[in-house]
Amino acid sequence: MAWKGDAFNEEVVRTTFQTNFYGTIELTEKMLPLINDSGKIVTITSSAGKLGKVKSPEILQKLKADDLTADAIYAYAKEFYNDVKADNYAEKWTKHAYGLSKLFLNLWIRIFAKRPEVLSRNIQVYACCPGWVRTDMAGPNAPRSIDEGVVCPLYLVELPNEVKSDLQGQFFYDCRVTSIN
């Protein structure tokens, strides 16, 4: 979910994060027991979810750390919301609820993909961006058709049924692993 125009306030952040971050995580967690062994989880996210959305060097360093946890990501999401609510976000965060919701989701997917209950069942986990696709959200000027937007998610679905450590939990754009730095 993204808001049109320059809308940015506590409600925009709450609604955007509830849909894009918390809602996606909740659905993924509830579906995990129902996914077959050697199944796949392909999460549609966005290339807007990059680390450049974070201004604070301290937070950025912690988000890049190898020992980042899901709890830490939740704490940063809450901190962003509270900073916006207090109108105190500008030194740490960009004015981009959509991008930060997708960044935190991209980071969470990396961690989720390494959980023992995922790996022991040989479940592949990927995040991908379909690109800027002509939809109600993106509008008629987006350069990609829906048929073009499904190429990367379908590519991931069709990968061989084996967890590869260099691909597991990664972010894909145009069918390639892409950095979120």
Side-chain angles (χ1 to χ4, degrees), residues 47 97 111-112:
S47 59
I111 294 165
F112 175 81

Side-chain angles (χ1 to χ4, degrees), residues 6-7 11-12 22 31 54 66 71-72 80 83 85 90 99-100 107 128 132 135-136 142 152 162 168 171 175-176:
D6 198 27
E11 181 60 19
V12 168
Y22 297 110
M31 293 297 294
V54 178
D66 290 336
D71 287 341
F80 173 61
D83 287 347
K85 186 176 178 180
L100 282 160
L107 293 169
C128 72
W132 188 22
T135 62
D136 289 343
C152 188
E162 71 177 282
Q168 182 75 345
F171 174 77
C175 303
R176 290 186 297 273

Side-chain angles (χ1 to χ4, degrees), residues 37-71:
D37 290 358
S38 299
K40 293 181 183 161
I41 298 171
V42 177
T43 305
I44 305 301
T45 181
S46 175
S47 59
K50 296 204 174 189
L51 288 164
K53 300 293 185 257
V54 178
K55 292 181 179 180
S56 164
E58 295 82 20
I59 294 173
L60 195 55
Q61 182 179 6
K62 290 178 183 176
L63 292 176
K64 289 180 176 182
D66 290 336
D67 62 349
L68 180 68
T69 65
D71 287 341

